[in-house]
Amino acid sequence: MNLDPFLERAKVQKVLFVEDELFTRKALFYVLENIFKEAQCACDGIEAIEILEEKGYNYFDIVITDLSMPRLGGLELIRNIKVFNPLQTTLIISASEDTGDFLQTIDTGVDAYLLKPIDSKSFISALDNISQKAIL
């Protein structure tokens, strides 16, 4: 897989990463901040909304969020974002293999769904795909 086109796109893109589990948040955020022009992280949907209200709902090219989090989960977060920015590119990461959860993400307009545990090849491939969608 040639990553050069992806890495070039990522140099101008901004990403918001929302994850409640500390180890996963730190590990994946390290990758994101070394690939994208700007990366910010939040520990749940409420904190993400605070960041979006401060920066603007159109500020981030990509929003990556865990599905299940305390206070405000990923689907609720994305529904909120889509009210202000219907074209927001989104990726859900989740440990849930529940078909109902997956169908809800489709109904919400999520661009990609990645199952935990996340391996680096799948993560980079998903980032490449959503990075392409974000520039359209």
Side-chain angles (χ1 to χ4, degrees), residues 3-46:
L3 294 177
D4 291 342
F6 161 57
L7 295 173
E8 284 301 311
R9 278 191 312 277
K11 285 181 186 178
V12 297
Q13 293 177 318
K14 298 176 288 263
V15 63
L16 176 61
F17 177 55
V18 190
E19 169 64 59
D20 63 314
E21 202 280 314
L22 182 62
F23 177 78
T24 303
R25 186 170 64 243
K26 284 185 174 187
L28 296 182
F29 185 69
Y30 177 80
V31 173
L32 296 170
E33 69 181 349
N34 283 290
I35 293 175
F36 289 92
K37 174 184 178 179
E38 181 181 334
Q40 280 196 257
C41 70
C43 65
D44 61 36
I46 298 293

Side-chain angles (χ1 to χ4, degrees), residues 14-16 38-41 47-61 85 88:
K14 298 176 288 263
V15 63
L16 176 61
E38 181 181 334
Q40 280 196 257
C41 70
E47 185 178 355
I49 287 175
E50 291 169 358
I51 292 169
L52 289 163
E53 287 176 346
E54 176 187 323
K55 297 274 189 180
Y57 279 86
N58 294 315
Y59 184 77
F60 294 99
D61 301 291
N85 183 0
Q88 179 66 66

Side-chain angles (χ1 to χ4, degrees), residues 44-131:
D44 61 36
I46 298 293
E47 185 178 355
I49 287 175
E50 291 169 358
I51 292 169
L52 289 163
E53 287 176 346
E54 176 187 323
K55 297 274 189 180
Y57 279 86
N58 294 315
Y59 184 77
F60 294 99
D61 301 291
I62 299 166
V63 175
I64 302 169
T65 182
D66 188 9
L67 180 64
S68 178
M69 296 179 289
R71 300 199 309 158
L72 186 69
L75 279 178
E76 294 82 10
L77 170 63
I78 290 171
R79 285 184 188 114
N80 184 292
I81 292 169
K82 296 271 185 178
V83 168
F84 299 98
N85 183 0
L87 300 177
Q88 179 66 66
T89 304
T90 56
L91 165 66
I92 290 268
I93 56 175
S94 177
S96 174
E97 294 184 41
D98 182 272
T99 305
D101 287 340
F102 182 71
L103 292 174
Q104 284 185 33
T105 64
I106 292 170
D107 290 343
T108 307
V110 172
D111 296 291
Y113 191 96
L114 192 59
L115 283 174
K116 293 178 183 178
I118 300 169
D119 66 82
S120 58
K121 186 175 180 178
S122 296
F123 188 55
I124 296 298
S125 178
L127 291 176
D128 182 20
N129 290 333
I130 62 170
S131 171

